[in-house]
């Protein structure tokens, strides 16, 4: 059929978009003027072209399937981004989106619009490359700051290593002396045992120091995980509180009796804490403060939905005129060579990366207090998993609440459930979990039975006061079986998963209660 046969499509001639008409056999029935320009083909060549595949090089199965769907639905079908080449011009390639429109006046005829998005794709690729470059530059800045910090701490760390080495060496000589004659008395054997214990203890101390150094300079993975914040604080203190600072400055930590678990990148948060503690140490070392002291405390602020970590010192404080500049890149009050001016700027960025806040205020003791706020894991875990899963397929996702005060259990279940395409929401206690249950529509609950402040029975009882149907599973040791059997009847507990458990145990329970499987 010639162009004259499509006279009613003459309005397409003036469009600046390549358009053709084809059928299920992919014959070239019509093309507009811009199609010739787009393909850089002469009208003579196009008139002799019987199939669109003679001039366009792309996956014919894809366009055939699109045309089939358009015919079945009698409507417009839009493709994904597709690569396209012009056969007569191998050096020309495009990225296009095809729009298939069935023609009402003709049976089995379809308009194909080729939307050229090559420029947009190239700009996107360039933008993504620039983002990757910025990310790499940012990581290099972080690494440089860590290495600079470690270099400033090296003298104190050397002192910390030399002390246990001296102890280990001296006790090793004692052991050698007592064993020379191979006739050690019982008293000498006791002394040998004690010396050996001191050697082992000293070497363990050195191992811990080196491990802390390695962890600090390690490049962090992007993935956040559930961590006990008090352990990270202790590790940061151990790394920074060395040498003359340890002799002069007292560091006191105050942690709650229960574990404070956060969903964080532990290496990045340790870098934040090292910067804050080191700043306080530098201020106190340069001051004439009597009984210099640094206090680190952690508390859970339910009203503000956050964990607060306070780093306070009784030093000279920060002058009012520079408070607004503390987090400004390259601003420093230290002498040349003593600081990069990046520490506090990096600290602020890392905190904000965790959806947290950091601010400076005067300490009650007359010094300085930095308050670091991190979101409670209930909201941070939901936000992180929901953002991740929203980028995946449109499959149905279940919101699953896991209540456990062991970080490793939370991390394992997070991996299991996220890999299976579900939204994981972690919680460390009954009160916090009840709060999130009233804010988010949860589909299933996994809960440890033995928890601080509220056991599984008490937790389930409170849930049943406002939700009679939500499935609840206990995840606990085998000795919980009698309690589970009682609560199964009284509180409609759906099942018991005995620790240690496997991924199959978890997914099998999901399949039974929510009608899903590992292969869904």
């Amino acid at each position: 059929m010639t162009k004259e046969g499509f006279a009613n499509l003459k309005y397409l001639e003036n469009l600046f978009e390549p358009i053709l008409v084809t059928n299920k056999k992919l014959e070239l029935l019509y093309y507009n003027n811009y199609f010739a320009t787009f393909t850089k083909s002469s009208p003579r060549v196009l008139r002799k072209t019987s199939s669109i595949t003679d001039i366009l090089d792309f996956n014919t199965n894809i366009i055939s399937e699109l045309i089939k769907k358009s015919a079945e639905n009698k409507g417009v079908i839009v493709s994904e981004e597709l690569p396209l080449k012009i056969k007569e011009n191998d050096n020309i390639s495009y990225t296009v989106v095809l729009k298939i429109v069935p023609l009402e006046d003709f049976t089995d005829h379809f308009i194909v619009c080729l939307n050229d998005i090559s420029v947009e794709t190239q700009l996107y690729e360039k933008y993504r490359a620039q983002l990757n470059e910025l990310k790499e530059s940012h990581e290099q800045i972080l690494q440089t700051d860590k290495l600079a910090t470690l270099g400033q701490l090296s003298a104190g760390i050397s002192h910390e290593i030399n002390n246990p080495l001296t102890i280990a060496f001296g006790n090793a000589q004692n052991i050698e002396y007592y064993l020379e004659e191979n006739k050690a008395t019982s008293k000498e054997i006791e002394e040998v045992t004690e010396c050996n214990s001191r050697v082992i203890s000293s070497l363990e101390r050195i191992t811990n120091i080196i491990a802390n150094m390695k962890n600090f300079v390690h490049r962090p993975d992007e993935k956040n995980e559930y961590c006990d914040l008090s352990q990270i604080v202790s590790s940061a203190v151990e790394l920074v509180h060395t040498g003359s600072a340890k002799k002069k400055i007292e560091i006191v930590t105050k942690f709650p009796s229960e574990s404070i678990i956060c969903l964080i990148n532990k290496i990045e948060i340790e870098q934040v804490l090292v910067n804050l503690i080191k700043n306080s140490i530098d201020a106190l070392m340069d001051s004439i403060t009597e009984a210099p002291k640094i206090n680190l405390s952690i508390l859970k602020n339910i009203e503000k939905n956050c964990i607060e970590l306070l780093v306070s010192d009784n030093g000279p404080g920060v002058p009012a005129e520079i408070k607004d500049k503390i987090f400004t890149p390259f601003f420093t009050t230290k002498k040349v060579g003593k600081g990069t001016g990046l520490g506090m700027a990096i600290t602020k960025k890392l905190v904000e990366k965790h959806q947290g806040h950091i601010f400076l205020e005067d300490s009650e003791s007359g010094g300085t207090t930095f308050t670091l706020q991190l979101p409670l894991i209930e909201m941070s875990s939901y936000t992180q998993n929901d953002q991740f899963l929203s980028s995946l397929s449109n499959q149905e996702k279940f919101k699953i609440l896991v209540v456990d005060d062991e970080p490793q259990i939370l991390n394992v279940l997070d991996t299991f459930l996220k890999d299976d395409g579900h939204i994981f929401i972690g919680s460390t206690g009954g009160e916090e979990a009840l709060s999130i249950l009233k804010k988010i529509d949860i589909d299933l609950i996994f809960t440890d039975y033995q928890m601080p402040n509220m056991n599984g029975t008490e937790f389930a009882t409170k849930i049943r006061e406002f939700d009679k149907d939500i499935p609840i599973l206990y995840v606990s040791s085998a000795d919980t079986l009698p309690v589970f059997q009682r609560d199964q009847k009284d509180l409609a507990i759906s099942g018991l998963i005995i620790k240690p458990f496997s991924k199959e145990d978890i997914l099998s329970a999901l399949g039974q209660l929510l009608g899903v499987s590992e292969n869904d």
Side-chain angles (χ1 to χ4, degrees), residues 223-228 260-263 377-378 381 385 400-418 424-429 446-448 499 501:
K223 182 180 178 182
N224 291 353
E225 59 183 348
Y226 296 91
C227 308
D228 188 338
I260 298 295
I261 299 174
C262 292
L263 180 57
I377 66 168
E378 287 78 16
S381 63
N385 282 274
I400 301 173
L401 176 64
V402 176
V403 189
D404 202 298
D405 60 340
E406 283 291 333
Q408 293 310 315
I409 297 293
L410 292 172
N411 285 322
V412 167
L413 287 174
D414 182 21
T415 301
F416 287 174
L417 297 174
K418 192 172 179 180
F424 176 95
I425 304 169
S427 182
T428 57
F446 287 103
T447 179
D448 186 21
K499 296 178 181 179
F501 52 79

Side-chain angles (χ1 to χ4, degrees), residues 13 17 30 129 138 154 197 201 223 294 302 305 338 346 423 462 517:
E13 295 297 324
E17 182 176 16
Y30 166 87
H138 176 66
S154 59
S197 176
S201 177
K223 182 180 178 182
I294 300 172
I302 302 297
N305 292 314
K338 295 294 183 179
I346 289 172
I423 297 176
K462 289 184 177 293
S517 68

Side-chain angles (χ1 to χ4, degrees), residues 285-297:
M285 292 293 287
D286 294 336
S287 72
I288 55 173
T289 303
E290 293 185 7
K293 185 177 181 180
I294 300 172
N295 289 301
L296 292 101
S297 58

